[in-house]
Amino acid sequence: MKKLMLTTFCTITLVSGVYHTATGESFVTMSQSVSVDHSEIERYLTSEVMNPNFGGEVWTTYQILDTNSTKNEVYVWALIQEYVQEGDRFEQGSGMSAPLVLYLDDDDESFTIQGHRLPRDGSYYPTDLWAMFPVHVQLAISPHPDGIVTKLHAQMEEKILLHQQAKHGKED
């Protein structure tokens, strides 16, 4: 029994060391979370990440993949879409669906996003995923998180529909 416990301890220590060497983070870091302000994330994603190309309004839905209080980072998959109003309906303009790292202010008193980073396209994409996201997040979004994207598209359609209904209700 003692040998089993010693072997298990040594294996965990070895795996932790290899993981830390490869990724620069520890298993403890992975479990630490950041208090999230959803309205600030939505504000930031709609105003700072993508500009509308057709004069429309930018909308977003997102899923938080994880947070890291040591690095002051929030990992999200965001669907950001421009909608241009054409009569009584909205037409899609420019848009994007991608993972992002949101960098937070070091101040513990507030939740302020200081910047963000997107993985580059093409052959840089896998390298950037490796450099930007913890391993468990990489596994969740590689090669492409169809389930997350489908869910975000459904949420976006619901948001737009509710907005249209509210707008029509005010006009009546």
Side-chain angles (χ1 to χ4, degrees):
M1 183 66 161
K2 236 181 187 181
K3 280 186 175 183
L4 178 62
M5 286 176 43
L6 184 59
T7 303
T8 303
F9 177 75
C10 289
T11 303
I12 291 171
T13 303
L14 178 64
V15 169
S16 296
V18 169
Y19 180 82
H20 178 68
T21 302
T23 65
E25 54 188 43
S26 71
F27 289 121
V28 174
T29 303
M30 288 174 27
S31 66
Q32 295 176 341
S33 65
V34 172
S35 171
V36 174
D37 180 344
H38 291 281
S39 61
E40 172 62 12
I41 291 176
E42 186 152 339
R43 182 208 63 79
Y44 185 87
L45 292 174
T46 58
S47 63
E48 302 295 330
V49 177
M50 186 190 87
N51 294 317
N53 291 321
F54 301 101
E57 186 177 348
V58 177
W59 293 69
T60 189
T61 58
Y62 62 92
Q63 180 171 330
I64 295 175
L65 304 169
D66 201 1
T67 63
N68 185 317
S69 62
T70 305
K71 294 181 177 181
N72 292 319
E73 296 176 344
V74 177
Y75 311 107
V76 301
W77 189 284
L79 170 63
I80 305 170
Q81 183 69 53
E82 173 188 17
Y83 286 93
V84 180
Q85 189 162 2
E86 298 286 337
D88 62 343
R89 66 180 210 275
F90 286 95
E91 295 291 328
Q92 289 185 353
S94 55
M96 63 184 284
S97 176
L100 293 97
V101 177
L102 303 175
Y103 299 105
L104 306 178
D105 186 2
D106 290 344
D107 183 12
D108 290 337
E109 301 297 318
S110 67
F111 182 90
T112 307
I113 300 171
Q114 297 297 310
H116 70 280
R117 183 172 171 207
L118 290 156
R120 294 172 291 178
D121 290 333
S123 62
Y124 294 111
Y125 187 82
T127 304
D128 285 354
L129 282 184
W130 176 258
M132 294 168 54
F133 297 95
V135 172
H136 64 284
V137 173
Q138 292 171 36
L139 294 173
I141 62 176
S142 294
H144 186 67
D146 294 327
I148 293 173
V149 173
T150 301
K151 177 182 155 191
L152 293 177
H153 276 285
Q155 288 174 353
M156 183 72 80
E157 288 175 14
E158 185 177 327
K159 266 179 137 174
I160 294 298
L161 182 62
L162 290 172
H163 179 75
Q164 287 176 318
Q165 289 173 347
K167 193 169 188 171
H168 287 296
K170 287 180 183 178
E171 292 174 1
D172 293 338

